[in-house]
Amino acid sequence: MELRQLAVVVAVAEEGGFTAAAQRLRTVQSTVSTVVRALERDLGTPLFHRTTHRVVLTPAGEAFVPAARAALQAAERARAAVSPVGGEVRLGVCPGLLADLHRVLTALRQVHPGVGVAVRQLCAAKRWCASDVDVVLTVAPGHTAGGPVFRTPGNLARAGLASNGTHPASAPDHCAAEPVVTLLPPEDLVLATAPGGSRSAPGDLSSLSLVDFPPGWAIRNAVDQAFPDRRVTLEVDDLAVAAGLVRAGLAVCVLPASAAARFPELTVRRFDRPPPWQLAAVHRADVSPAVAALLAQLG
């Protein structure tokens, strides 16, 4: 039994499905299914009941998951004990940008309990400045929804940044440090609709009623570029409110795949040529151990 197997089972249990767990773990659904089946064979009992719309724990799974979660937490504490990292990271986040930020921060706390994170909401157009924050999560500079997807260079070492996979970014004159851009794992924009119906999204959204987000939100900017002719009938500043309107059948919504996964009751429709969603972390070149620890969780 491996820690990776435990992490996959816990993710499936918490997300309520293999696809959502794969998105959380940044892997593919088939890998998650293979890992779970292998562990179930080793244990000699199923951990999940598979249904058409949702995955639920069996009695054995109900007993297994809390113990697996405790084992993972113990392993993270053991890792932190031999390489303690402390300090505070000032993190700037554009509104509506990273749907699973809470999971990133939870994982960071488990691995490095001595690292504190102060989160500030920033406008998507705000430029990075060393005097304001240590890291900004934003859309990759120069990226357009119809352009190429930049690939992440791989996982960041917990002790620091990889030497590649960074791009220079312009800084205001009063900022002393020249910032760099670390690309995060790319994903696609999808169309979230009311439950049921086709899994294929139409290429032309001009005839649909859409719920969208305010100008300045990173999601809004990306959707503006990908679908300039769409008709916005509703505008809200909260992902959960948008999902409620979609669930009621009042509109549809274009979202990053990770954001749509937060609402498994909705139907996720994929475009034949999905517009990419590319996020990045903007930071100093000479990062502190605490910032490096956060970047490792993001990557």
Side-chain angles (χ1 to χ4, degrees):
M1 188 181 304
E2 301 176 357
L3 289 176
R4 176 172 175 267
Q5 292 176 308
L6 303 185
V8 169
V9 169
V10 169
V12 174
E14 292 179 348
E15 298 296 336
F18 289 85
T19 300
Q23 291 171 340
R24 167 175 159 181
L25 297 171
R26 297 191 173 102
T27 186
V28 295
Q29 186 268 342
S30 59
T31 297
V32 172
S33 298
T34 299
V35 170
V36 172
R37 283 197 300 269
L39 181 57
E40 289 177 327
R41 284 196 300 269
D42 290 344
L43 295 173
T45 184
L47 298 175
F48 298 98
H49 289 302
R50 282 84 162 169
T51 66
T52 303
H53 300 292
R54 193 164 177 81
V55 173
V56 296
L57 289 167
T58 63
E62 293 281 2
F64 183 84
V65 167
R69 190 180 289 115
L72 291 170
Q73 292 171 350
E76 297 294 0
R77 288 194 297 270
R79 184 182 293 112
V82 298
S83 58
V85 175
E88 181 171 277
V89 180
R90 299 168 300 168
L91 175 63
V93 182
C94 301
L97 191 70
L98 191 61
D100 61 350
L101 178 61
H102 62 293
R103 299 195 186 281
V104 172
L105 298 182
T106 297
L108 177 65
R109 177 174 294 180
Q110 291 173 346
V111 178
H112 300 291
V115 174
V117 180
V119 181
R120 292 180 52 193
Q121 183 167 290
L122 301 177
C123 172
K126 181 177 175 63
R127 303 175 78 187
W128 181 90
C129 182
S131 63
D132 294 334
V133 291
D134 301 305
V135 182
V136 171
L137 294 182
T138 185
V139 175
H143 174 74
T144 60
V149 178
F150 298 96
R151 297 295 170 183
T152 179
N155 292 330
L156 293 163
R158 291 189 181 278
L161 289 174
S163 60
N164 59 356
T166 59
H167 299 264
S170 60
D173 293 339
H174 62 278
C175 289
E178 180 73 14
V180 294
V181 176
T182 296
L183 298 177
L184 305 186
E187 55 181 309
D188 294 331
L189 294 177
V190 299
L191 186 68
T193 69
S198 170
R199 292 285 179 174
S200 178
D204 182 8
L205 304 183
S206 60
S207 63
L208 301 178
S209 296
L210 268 75
V211 57
D212 215 326
F213 304 95
W217 277 48
I219 297 176
R220 173 63 178 266
N221 295 346
V223 177
D224 281 346
Q225 293 179 29
F227 305 101
D229 298 327
R230 76 194 192 288
R231 180 167 57 93
V232 179
T233 55
L234 297 164
E235 186 176 290
V236 299
D237 62 356
D238 187 279
L239 288 174
V241 173
L245 294 170
V246 172
R247 189 185 305 112
L250 297 175
V252 299
C253 187
V254 179
L255 292 170
S258 59
R262 289 183 54 189
F263 309 101
E265 70 279 9
L266 302 180
T267 293
V268 173
R269 302 190 181 191
R270 297 192 176 273
F271 299 96
D272 289 338
R273 300 179 66 180
W277 174 250
Q278 177 66 63
L279 303 186
V282 184
H283 53 86
R284 299 180 185 86
D286 55 336
V287 298
S288 68
V291 171
L294 173 62
L295 292 172
Q297 293 299 329
L298 289 167

